[in-house]
Amino acid sequence: NALMARLNYSLNDKYMLTATWRRDGYSAFGQKHPYAEFPSAALGWRISEEDFFNVSWVDHLKLRASWGANGNRTIGRYAALARLGTTQYIYGTSLATGVFSSTMANSDLRWESTKALNFGVDFGIFNNVISGSVEYYDMTTTDLLLNRSLPRIIGYTSVASNLGELANKGFEATLNSTNVNKPNIRWNSTLNFSFNRNEIKHLYGEMIDEV
């Protein structure tokens, strides 16, 4: 189940605020952490609407910034719980069925969480013949949901766990242009550029040295 609250506010079509709060629950997680909370907030400022902005060839210019957290629950329905399996064997002259513990429980299993910071600029120039956006993002994912390998001698081969930390940061740019705009023909172009870097910050709770 989930609960969500959102607040949207705009003043004179210049200043914009969006705030969101989520509380998500999933019974597949451990009994100690079935719920998680994920807040977020975003700000926008249309500079081109300000009285002091008088650049004639700029039709639209907006600055924006946002921060937020999101959750991931991509695990099996019973991944955090101990489960039973059955096996058959010969008992004397009869066929019997036995029950055994097939998976290890993890009552501390929790939501995987990604926190992201984003800065961007949207623009339109020359009567919006050319428009686009430029943005930078920095994301960190913690408590990754993974099956941790175990030595078979203990009776289990793996257990669902929260492991490691990932960092993902990059830069994206999009440029749109209207090359031809006639009653019978319209030609638009789009150019995209992106740069992204992924880095493993922690693995099995240990620091990873940068190369």
Side-chain angles (χ1 to χ4, degrees), residues 38-104:
F38 305 106
S40 65
L43 298 172
W45 179 25
R46 285 196 176 100
I47 304 178
S48 54
E49 299 297 321
E50 296 287 357
D51 294 335
F52 63 79
F53 190 88
N54 55 5
V55 182
S56 59
W57 51 275
V58 177
D59 305 292
H60 171 67
L61 183 62
K62 176 184 176 183
L63 299 181
R64 49 185 169 82
S66 63
W67 176 90
N70 198 7
N72 177 24
R73 64 170 195 174
T74 53
I75 60 173
R77 292 182 179 178
Y78 308 108
L81 305 178
R83 284 172 283 176
L84 298 178
T86 60
T87 185
Q88 292 184 328
Y89 62 98
I90 301 297
Y91 182 72
T93 59
S94 302
L95 182 65
T97 299
V99 178
F100 65 97
S101 176
S102 61
T103 60
M104 178 181 287

Side-chain angles (χ1 to χ4, degrees), residues 41 43 62-67 116-122 133-138 170-173:
L43 298 172
K62 176 184 176 183
L63 299 181
R64 49 185 169 82
S66 63
W67 176 90
L117 182 65
N118 181 283
F119 297 98
V121 178
D122 301 323
S133 63
V134 179
E135 58 186 287
Y136 168 81
Y137 58 89
D138 189 344
F171 169 86
E172 293 184 354

